[in-house]
């Protein structure tokens, strides 16, 4: 038995024990979700992971509500997909716009079964000493508050349909966030928020789960890795961690997690064992990063760009 099988069987035993505990109301409703005919509301659906989830959900027969701040690519994707797809305009910094997108989705498709809270940004890779405070706060506003607003705006519909919410966090929920702290703080916070949500939804017969992608080959990873000091920091870390996976891989992991109503979705292969052993992993990781000469150089180089922007 390899480590992944051990982790899976331990989770199976613990999950089975937990299911013996009596629960109130409709909490026992943990049936699988068949996406055929279901309505999936996705933020940040224009590109990257959001667009891939939309494509895969559509291929399984779902109605897809493509939500985002830039209409042209959303409309283009909706046209490529077909009549079960529609584009709706909402910036996740705007709660009312998200409420309107949810209402428009319900008006067009009859309800919302699944929410994929996915929209996110990569704030400038900088340190707490030198990051522009406005950039720090914008990171939190989109990557944490944007997820909260998405959840709140769609939750009444999800509860009504006993649906599922998947919140796209990241390995940064538990990775050290050096040079990436507003992002890491947001991803850790939305993990907490989603764990609470999963428990709060149980009496309603609905579910929620966290997705923990490693690095994924999208515009976000490409543009971040193109920055010199990030590339330097990346080279200081083990290659298997920083090699991006194809977007199709995380897309199918998240779709499978929705169908199983999973509490956790992790990809690539090494994320789940690290997640399960996070107490040890995070201690070792922090020490490794503190003593890593390449990373220290990258940090000082990031800070130096503020003294010499060229
Ligand atoms: N790529 C990775 O390595 C990786 C790893 C772990 C987790 N993630 C997470 O996965 C999610 C998707 O990332 P990605 O790699 O697919 O990024 P991406 O290719 O940059 O796409 C991000 C999407 O989010 C949208 N978006 C950004 N800010 C928004 C806002 N204020 N309101 C509405 N939509 C907004 C973008 O819209 P526009 O097209 O209008 O800009 C775009 O469609 C993010 O939450 C990210 O943190 C990514």
């Amino acid at each position: 038995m390899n480590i992944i099988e051990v982790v899976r069987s331990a989770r199976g035993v613990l999950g089975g024990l937990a299911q013996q505990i009596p629960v109130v109301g409709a909490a026992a409703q943990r049936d699988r979700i068949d996406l055929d005919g279901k309505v999936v509301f996705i933020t940040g659906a224009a590109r990257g992971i959001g667009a891939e989830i939309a494509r895969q959900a559509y291929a399984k027969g779902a109605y897809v509500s493509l939500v985002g701040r830039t209409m042209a690519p959303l409309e283009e994707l909706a046209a490529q997909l077909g009549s079960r797809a529609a584009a709706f305009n909402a910036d996740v910094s705007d709660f009312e716009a998200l409420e309107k997108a949810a209402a428009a989705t319900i008006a067009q498709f009859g309800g919302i079964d699944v929410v994929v809270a996915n929209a996110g940004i990569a704030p400038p890779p900088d340190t707490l000493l030198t990051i522009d405070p406005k950039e720090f706060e914008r990171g939190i506003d989109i990557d944490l508050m944007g997820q909260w607003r998405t959840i709140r705006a769609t939750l009444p519909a999800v509860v009504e349909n006993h649906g599922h919410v998947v919140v796209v966090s990241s390995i940064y929920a538990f990775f050290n966030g050096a040079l990436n702290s507003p992002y890491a703080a947001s991803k850790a916070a939305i993990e907490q928020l989603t764990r609470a949500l999963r428990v709060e939804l149980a009496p309603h017969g609905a579910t929620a789960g966290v997705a923990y992608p490693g690095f994924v080959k999208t515009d976000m990873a490409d543009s971040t890795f193109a920055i010199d000091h990030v590339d330097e920091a990346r080279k200081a870390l083990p290659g298997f961690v920083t090699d991006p996976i194809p977007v199709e891989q995380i897309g199918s992991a998240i779709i499978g997690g929705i169908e199983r109503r999973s509490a956790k979705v992790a990809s690539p292969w090494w994320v789940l064992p690290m997640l399960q052993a996070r107490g040890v992993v995070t201690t070792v990781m922090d020490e490794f990063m503190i003593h890593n000469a390449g990373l220290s150089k990258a940090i000082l180089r990031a800070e130096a760009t503020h003294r010499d922007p060229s």
Side-chain angles (χ1 to χ4, degrees):
M1 206 185 252
N2 66 30
I3 178 91
I4 297 175
E5 286 164 343
V6 171
V7 168
R8 286 211 173 115
S9 70
R11 283 175 65 205
V13 171
L14 291 174
L17 285 174
Q19 278 165 23
Q20 303 308 311
I21 301 169
V23 286
V24 282
Q29 179 147 0
R30 288 285 171 82
D31 50 321
R32 280 176 68 93
I33 294 177
D34 176 359
L35 283 168
D36 192 7
K38 296 292 189 300
V39 180
V40 183
F41 181 101
I42 308 162
T43 61
R47 300 183 278 133
I49 296 171
E52 181 60 24
I53 293 169
R55 280 189 283 270
Q56 294 193 23
Y58 194 90
K60 287 191 173 252
Y63 293 80
V64 291
S65 167
L66 310 172
V67 181
R69 60 184 176 176
T70 317
M71 281 310 276
L74 292 168
E75 282 166 349
E76 201 177 308
L77 180 59
Q80 276 168 18
L81 290 176
S83 60
R84 285 180 285 105
F88 300 101
N89 186 227
D91 189 307
V92 297
S93 62
D94 181 346
F95 182 63
E96 273 178 27
L98 283 162
E99 282 191 314
K100 281 187 190 148
T105 301
I106 294 164
Q108 183 151 346
F109 295 139
I112 298 174
D113 300 287
V114 175
V115 172
V116 184
N118 165 76
I121 56 168
D126 218 329
T127 67
L128 285 163
L129 183 65
T130 48
I131 192 168
D132 178 342
K134 286 196 185 74
E135 295 283 7
F136 186 97
E137 289 179 20
R138 180 161 176 269
I140 301 284
D141 189 48
I142 303 302
D143 291 335
L144 169 58
M145 300 303 288
Q147 303 286 52
W148 139 251
R149 293 183 193 106
T150 301
I151 293 166
R152 179 58 180 260
T154 54
L155 210 49
V158 172
V159 165
E160 192 176 328
N161 284 3
H162 309 299
H164 182 75
V165 178
V166 57
V167 177
V168 181
S169 176
S170 160
I171 48 173
Y172 277 98
F174 63 99
F175 264 43
N176 188 294
L179 288 172
N180 205 8
S181 59
Y183 185 84
S186 299
K187 296 302 186 182
I190 59 170
E191 179 194 44
Q192 270 293 338
L193 186 145
T194 310
R195 285 178 55 207
L197 179 64
R198 188 169 175 90
V199 173
E200 290 173 4
L201 285 177
H204 298 287
T207 45
V210 185
Y212 302 87
F215 293 99
V216 183
K217 182 134 188 55
T218 64
D219 295 344
M220 182 182 279
D222 286 349
S223 57
T224 308
F225 285 159
I227 299 166
D228 282 350
H229 66 262
V230 176
D231 188 46
E232 201 167 345
R234 184 185 175 189
K235 285 183 186 133
L237 299 172
F240 78 91
V241 170
T242 59
D243 284 346
I245 58 169
V247 73
E248 294 81 5
Q249 186 176 332
I250 190 65
S252 69
I254 291 176
I255 290 286
I258 292 168
E259 290 173 326
R260 293 187 303 275
R261 296 178 176 272
S262 298
K264 298 184 177 81
V265 173
S267 185
W269 65 269
W270 48 264
V271 178
L272 187 60
M274 273 201 190
L275 191 55
Q276 303 295 3
R278 66 203 281 173
V280 176
V281 167
T282 54
T283 305
V284 173
M285 180 185 294
D286 292 2
E287 287 305 310
F288 170 81
M289 289 172 76
I290 285 169
H291 295 100
N292 187 304
L295 195 55
S296 295
K297 219 169 120 199
I299 288 168
L300 294 176
R301 193 162 164 193
E303 292 178 342
T305 59
H306 293 271
R307 291 189 291 275
D308 173 18
S310 63

PDB file of all heavy atoms in Angstrom, residues 41 89-91 94-106 112 149-150 152-154 156:
ATOM      1  N   PHE A  41     -22.669  27.622 -11.500  1.00  0.00           N
ATOM      2  CA  PHE A  41     -22.358  29.065 -11.496  1.00  0.00           C
ATOM      3  C   PHE A  41     -20.858  29.192 -11.216  1.00  0.00           C
ATOM      4  O   PHE A  41     -20.378  28.740 -10.169  1.00  0.00           O
ATOM      5  CB  PHE A  41     -23.186  29.698 -10.383  1.00  0.00           C
ATOM      6  CG  PHE A  41     -23.056  31.183 -10.188  1.00  0.00           C
ATOM      7  CD1 PHE A  41     -24.029  32.057 -10.680  1.00  0.00           C
ATOM      8  CD2 PHE A  41     -21.993  31.731  -9.470  1.00  0.00           C
ATOM      9  CE1 PHE A  41     -23.948  33.428 -10.461  1.00  0.00           C
ATOM     10  CE2 PHE A  41     -21.894  33.097  -9.252  1.00  0.00           C
ATOM     11  CZ  PHE A  41     -22.878  33.955  -9.747  1.00  0.00           C
ATOM     12  N   ASN A  89     -22.245  39.423 -16.184  1.00  0.00           N
ATOM     13  CA  ASN A  89     -21.217  40.363 -15.761  1.00  0.00           C
ATOM     14  C   ASN A  89     -21.234  40.582 -14.242  1.00  0.00           C
ATOM     15  O   ASN A  89     -22.239  41.000 -13.689  1.00  0.00           O
ATOM     16  CB  ASN A  89     -21.457  41.693 -16.496  1.00  0.00           C
ATOM     17  CG  ASN A  89     -20.354  42.694 -16.235  1.00  0.00           C
ATOM     18  OD1 ASN A  89     -20.607  43.846 -15.934  1.00  0.00           O
ATOM     19  ND2 ASN A  89     -19.123  42.250 -16.328  1.00  0.00           N
ATOM     20  N   ALA A  90     -20.147  40.254 -13.563  1.00  0.00           N
ATOM     21  CA  ALA A  90     -20.015  40.626 -12.144  1.00  0.00           C
ATOM     22  C   ALA A  90     -18.539  40.627 -11.773  1.00  0.00           C
ATOM     23  O   ALA A  90     -17.822  39.652 -12.013  1.00  0.00           O
ATOM     24  CB  ALA A  90     -20.770  39.652 -11.241  1.00  0.00           C
ATOM     25  N   ASP A  91     -18.118  41.750 -11.213  1.00  0.00           N
ATOM     26  CA  ASP A  91     -16.789  41.816 -10.604  1.00  0.00           C
ATOM     27  C   ASP A  91     -16.978  41.319  -9.172  1.00  0.00           C
ATOM     28  O   ASP A  91     -17.926  41.747  -8.485  1.00  0.00           O
ATOM     29  CB  ASP A  91     -16.306  43.277 -10.633  1.00  0.00           C
ATOM     30  CG  ASP A  91     -14.846  43.391 -10.231  1.00  0.00           C
ATOM     31  OD1 ASP A  91     -14.491  42.881  -9.146  1.00  0.00           O
ATOM     32  OD2 ASP A  91     -14.076  43.994 -10.985  1.00  0.00           O
ATOM     33  N   ASP A  94     -17.876  43.390  -6.142  1.00  0.00           N
ATOM     34  CA  ASP A  94     -19.174  44.080  -6.107  1.00  0.00           C
ATOM     35  C   ASP A  94     -20.273  43.070  -5.733  1.00  0.00           C
ATOM     36  O   ASP A  94     -20.709  42.267  -6.557  1.00  0.00           O
ATOM     37  CB  ASP A  94     -19.408  44.689  -7.511  1.00  0.00           C
ATOM     38  CG  ASP A  94     -20.711  45.452  -7.608  1.00  0.00           C
ATOM     39  OD1 ASP A  94     -21.573  45.311  -6.711  1.00  0.00           O
ATOM     40  OD2 ASP A  94     -20.867  46.180  -8.608  1.00  0.00           O
ATOM     41  N   PHE A  95     -20.720  43.147  -4.475  1.00  0.00           N
ATOM     42  CA  PHE A  95     -21.705  42.175  -3.977  1.00  0.00           C
ATOM     43  C   PHE A  95     -23.025  42.248  -4.747  1.00  0.00           C
ATOM     44  O   PHE A  95     -23.615  41.224  -5.115  1.00  0.00           O
ATOM     45  CB  PHE A  95     -21.940  42.402  -2.477  1.00  0.00           C
ATOM     46  CG  PHE A  95     -22.904  41.419  -1.882  1.00  0.00           C
ATOM     47  CD1 PHE A  95     -22.613  40.061  -1.855  1.00  0.00           C
ATOM     48  CD2 PHE A  95     -24.111  41.841  -1.353  1.00  0.00           C
ATOM     49  CE1 PHE A  95     -23.507  39.144  -1.323  1.00  0.00           C
ATOM     50  CE2 PHE A  95     -25.010  40.934  -0.812  1.00  0.00           C
ATOM     51  CZ  PHE A  95     -24.718  39.582  -0.802  1.00  0.00           C
ATOM     52  N   GLU A  96     -23.474  43.502  -5.022  1.00  0.00           N
ATOM     53  CA  GLU A  96     -24.761  43.641  -5.736  1.00  0.00           C
ATOM     54  C   GLU A  96     -24.688  43.038  -7.133  1.00  0.00           C
ATOM     55  O   GLU A  96     -25.644  42.429  -7.620  1.00  0.00           O
ATOM     56  CB  GLU A  96     -25.147  45.117  -5.846  1.00  0.00           C
ATOM     57  CG  GLU A  96     -25.909  45.572  -4.633  1.00  0.00           C
ATOM     58  CD  GLU A  96     -26.273  47.045  -4.700  1.00  0.00           C
ATOM     59  OE1 GLU A  96     -26.410  47.584  -5.813  1.00  0.00           O
ATOM     60  OE2 GLU A  96     -26.394  47.631  -3.618  1.00  0.00           O
ATOM     61  N   ALA A  97     -23.543  43.222  -7.794  1.00  0.00           N
ATOM     62  CA  ALA A  97     -23.387  42.656  -9.145  1.00  0.00           C
ATOM     63  C   ALA A  97     -23.459  41.132  -9.083  1.00  0.00           C
ATOM     64  O   ALA A  97     -24.053  40.489  -9.963  1.00  0.00           O
ATOM     65  CB  ALA A  97     -22.059  43.099  -9.746  1.00  0.00           C
ATOM     66  N   LEU A  98     -22.886  40.541  -8.033  1.00  0.00           N
ATOM     67  CA  LEU A  98     -22.961  39.081  -7.888  1.00  0.00           C
ATOM     68  C   LEU A  98     -24.401  38.629  -7.614  1.00  0.00           C
ATOM     69  O   LEU A  98     -24.852  37.611  -8.155  1.00  0.00           O
ATOM     70  CB  LEU A  98     -22.030  38.621  -6.759  1.00  0.00           C
ATOM     71  CG  LEU A  98     -20.553  38.593  -7.141  1.00  0.00           C
ATOM     72  CD1 LEU A  98     -19.670  38.562  -5.899  1.00  0.00           C
ATOM     73  CD2 LEU A  98     -20.232  37.403  -8.050  1.00  0.00           C
ATOM     74  N   GLU A  99     -25.123  39.413  -6.799  1.00  0.00           N
ATOM     75  CA  GLU A  99     -26.537  39.075  -6.553  1.00  0.00           C
ATOM     76  C   GLU A  99     -27.334  39.121  -7.855  1.00  0.00           C
ATOM     77  O   GLU A  99     -28.179  38.261  -8.109  1.00  0.00           O
ATOM     78  CB  GLU A  99     -27.139  40.050  -5.544  1.00  0.00           C
ATOM     79  CG  GLU A  99     -26.746  39.740  -4.105  1.00  0.00           C
ATOM     80  CD  GLU A  99     -27.565  40.566  -3.130  1.00  0.00           C
ATOM     81  OE1 GLU A  99     -27.706  41.795  -3.367  1.00  0.00           O
ATOM     82  OE2 GLU A  99     -28.054  40.006  -2.141  1.00  0.00           O
ATOM     83  N   LYS A 100     -27.016  40.145  -8.683  1.00  0.00           N
ATOM     84  CA  LYS A 100     -27.731  40.257  -9.972  1.00  0.00           C
ATOM     85  C   LYS A 100     -27.373  39.092 -10.888  1.00  0.00           C
ATOM     86  O   LYS A 100     -28.236  38.557 -11.589  1.00  0.00           O
ATOM     87  CB  LYS A 100     -27.366  41.588 -10.665  1.00  0.00           C
ATOM     88  CG  LYS A 100     -28.118  42.763 -10.083  1.00  0.00           C
ATOM     89  CD  LYS A 100     -27.871  44.021 -10.894  1.00  0.00           C
ATOM     90  CE  LYS A 100     -28.442  45.218 -10.150  1.00  0.00           C
ATOM     91  NZ  LYS A 100     -27.720  46.453 -10.366  1.00  0.00           N
ATOM     92  N   ALA A 101     -26.099  38.696 -10.891  1.00  0.00           N
ATOM     93  CA  ALA A 101     -25.685  37.566 -11.741  1.00  0.00           C
ATOM     94  C   ALA A 101     -26.379  36.282 -11.275  1.00  0.00           C
ATOM     95  O   ALA A 101     -26.804  35.459 -12.097  1.00  0.00           O
ATOM     96  CB  ALA A 101     -24.165  37.397 -11.710  1.00  0.00           C
ATOM     97  N   ALA A 102     -26.510  36.128  -9.951  1.00  0.00           N
ATOM     98  CA  ALA A 102     -27.204  34.937  -9.422  1.00  0.00           C
ATOM     99  C   ALA A 102     -28.680  34.971  -9.841  1.00  0.00           C
ATOM    100  O   ALA A 102     -29.221  33.962 -10.321  1.00  0.00           O
ATOM    101  CB  ALA A 102     -27.069  34.879  -7.903  1.00  0.00           C
ATOM    102  N   ALA A 103     -29.308  36.146  -9.699  1.00  0.00           N
ATOM    103  CA  ALA A 103     -30.733  36.263 -10.065  1.00  0.00           C
ATOM    104  C   ALA A 103     -30.924  36.015 -11.562  1.00  0.00           C
ATOM    105  O   ALA A 103     -31.875  35.329 -11.976  1.00  0.00           O
ATOM    106  CB  ALA A 103     -31.255  37.647  -9.674  1.00  0.00           C
ATOM    107  N   ALA A 104     -30.004  36.542 -12.375  1.00  0.00           N
ATOM    108  CA  ALA A 104     -30.126  36.361 -13.834  1.00  0.00           C
ATOM    109  C   ALA A 104     -29.928  34.888 -14.202  1.00  0.00           C
ATOM    110  O   ALA A 104     -30.600  34.363 -15.104  1.00  0.00           O
ATOM    111  CB  ALA A 104     -29.102  37.240 -14.552  1.00  0.00           C
ATOM    112  N   THR A 105     -29.031  34.205 -13.498  1.00  0.00           N
ATOM    113  CA  THR A 105     -28.813  32.767 -13.753  1.00  0.00           C
ATOM    114  C   THR A 105     -30.082  31.982 -13.427  1.00  0.00           C
ATOM    115  O   THR A 105     -30.525  31.119 -14.200  1.00  0.00           O
ATOM    116  CB  THR A 105     -27.641  32.246 -12.885  1.00  0.00           C
ATOM    117  OG1 THR A 105     -26.470  32.985 -13.212  1.00  0.00           O
ATOM    118  CG2 THR A 105     -27.392  30.761 -13.098  1.00  0.00           C
ATOM    119  N   ILE A 106     -30.680  32.321 -12.272  1.00  0.00           N
ATOM    120  CA  ILE A 106     -31.907  31.612 -11.865  1.00  0.00           C
ATOM    121  C   ILE A 106     -33.030  31.888 -12.872  1.00  0.00           C
ATOM    122  O   ILE A 106     -33.773  30.977 -13.267  1.00  0.00           O
ATOM    123  CB  ILE A 106     -32.303  32.026 -10.425  1.00  0.00           C
ATOM    124  CG1 ILE A 106     -31.225  31.531  -9.441  1.00  0.00           C
ATOM    125  CG2 ILE A 106     -33.673  31.476 -10.044  1.00  0.00           C
ATOM    126  CD1 ILE A 106     -31.266  32.171  -8.065  1.00  0.00           C
ATOM    127  N   ILE A 112     -29.768  27.352  -9.139  1.00  0.00           N
ATOM    128  CA  ILE A 112     -28.310  27.126  -9.100  1.00  0.00           C
ATOM    129  C   ILE A 112     -28.075  25.883  -8.234  1.00  0.00           C
ATOM    130  O   ILE A 112     -28.521  25.827  -7.080  1.00  0.00           O
ATOM    131  CB  ILE A 112     -27.548  28.331  -8.502  1.00  0.00           C
ATOM    132  CG1 ILE A 112     -27.748  29.594  -9.356  1.00  0.00           C
ATOM    133  CG2 ILE A 112     -26.047  28.011  -8.368  1.00  0.00           C
ATOM    134  CD1 ILE A 112     -27.148  30.866  -8.760  1.00  0.00           C
ATOM    135  N   ARG A 149     -18.219  36.999  -0.965  1.00  0.00           N
ATOM    136  CA  ARG A 149     -19.374  37.641  -1.622  1.00  0.00           C
ATOM    137  C   ARG A 149     -20.053  36.662  -2.590  1.00  0.00           C
ATOM    138  O   ARG A 149     -21.283  36.609  -2.675  1.00  0.00           O
ATOM    139  CB  ARG A 149     -18.915  38.883  -2.405  1.00  0.00           C
ATOM    140  CG  ARG A 149     -18.420  40.008  -1.526  1.00  0.00           C
ATOM    141  CD  ARG A 149     -18.048  41.238  -2.369  1.00  0.00           C
ATOM    142  NE  ARG A 149     -17.302  42.180  -1.568  1.00  0.00           N
ATOM    143  CZ  ARG A 149     -15.977  42.380  -1.677  1.00  0.00           C
ATOM    144  NH1 ARG A 149     -15.272  41.745  -2.580  1.00  0.00           N
ATOM    145  NH2 ARG A 149     -15.382  43.264  -0.891  1.00  0.00           N
ATOM    146  N   THR A 150     -19.235  35.878  -3.315  1.00  0.00           N
ATOM    147  CA  THR A 150     -19.785  34.910  -4.273  1.00  0.00           C
ATOM    148  C   THR A 150     -20.652  33.883  -3.535  1.00  0.00           C
ATOM    149  O   THR A 150     -21.765  33.563  -3.960  1.00  0.00           O
ATOM    150  CB  THR A 150     -18.626  34.176  -4.995  1.00  0.00           C
ATOM    151  OG1 THR A 150     -17.838  35.160  -5.663  1.00  0.00           O
ATOM    152  CG2 THR A 150     -19.139  33.147  -5.987  1.00  0.00           C
ATOM    153  N   ARG A 152     -22.056  34.131  -0.510  1.00  0.00           N
ATOM    154  CA  ARG A 152     -23.262  34.697   0.104  1.00  0.00           C
ATOM    155  C   ARG A 152     -24.345  34.999  -0.931  1.00  0.00           C
ATOM    156  O   ARG A 152     -25.533  34.764  -0.702  1.00  0.00           O
ATOM    157  CB  ARG A 152     -22.881  35.959   0.882  1.00  0.00           C
ATOM    158  CG  ARG A 152     -24.032  36.662   1.561  1.00  0.00           C
ATOM    159  CD  ARG A 152     -24.766  35.718   2.538  1.00  0.00           C
ATOM    160  NE  ARG A 152     -25.854  36.441   3.160  1.00  0.00           N
ATOM    161  CZ  ARG A 152     -25.787  36.959   4.390  1.00  0.00           C
ATOM    162  NH1 ARG A 152     -24.719  36.798   5.141  1.00  0.00           N
ATOM    163  NH2 ARG A 152     -26.799  37.620   4.887  1.00  0.00           N
ATOM    164  N   ALA A 153     -23.913  35.520  -2.097  1.00  0.00           N
ATOM    165  CA  ALA A 153     -24.897  35.906  -3.124  1.00  0.00           C
ATOM    166  C   ALA A 153     -25.621  34.695  -3.704  1.00  0.00           C
ATOM    167  O   ALA A 153     -26.753  34.811  -4.176  1.00  0.00           O
ATOM    168  CB  ALA A 153     -24.201  36.683  -4.243  1.00  0.00           C
ATOM    169  N   THR A 154     -25.003  33.531  -3.683  1.00  0.00           N
ATOM    170  CA  THR A 154     -25.583  32.350  -4.332  1.00  0.00           C
ATOM    171  C   THR A 154     -26.132  31.327  -3.332  1.00  0.00           C
ATOM    172  O   THR A 154     -26.821  30.387  -3.728  1.00  0.00           O
ATOM    173  CB  THR A 154     -24.512  31.637  -5.200  1.00  0.00           C
ATOM    174  OG1 THR A 154     -23.367  31.365  -4.373  1.00  0.00           O
ATOM    175  CG2 THR A 154     -24.090  32.484  -6.378  1.00  0.00           C
ATOM    176  N   PRO A 156     -28.516  31.144  -0.954  1.00  0.00           N
ATOM    177  CA  PRO A 156     -29.941  30.774  -0.838  1.00  0.00           C
ATOM    178  C   PRO A 156     -30.361  29.794  -1.932  1.00  0.00           C
ATOM    179  O   PRO A 156     -31.089  28.822  -1.658  1.00  0.00           O
ATOM    180  CB  PRO A 156     -30.676  32.124  -0.987  1.00  0.00           C
ATOM    181  CG  PRO A 156     -29.657  33.150  -0.562  1.00  0.00           C
ATOM    182  CD  PRO A 156     -28.324  32.611  -0.992  1.00  0.00           C
TER     183      PRO A 156
END
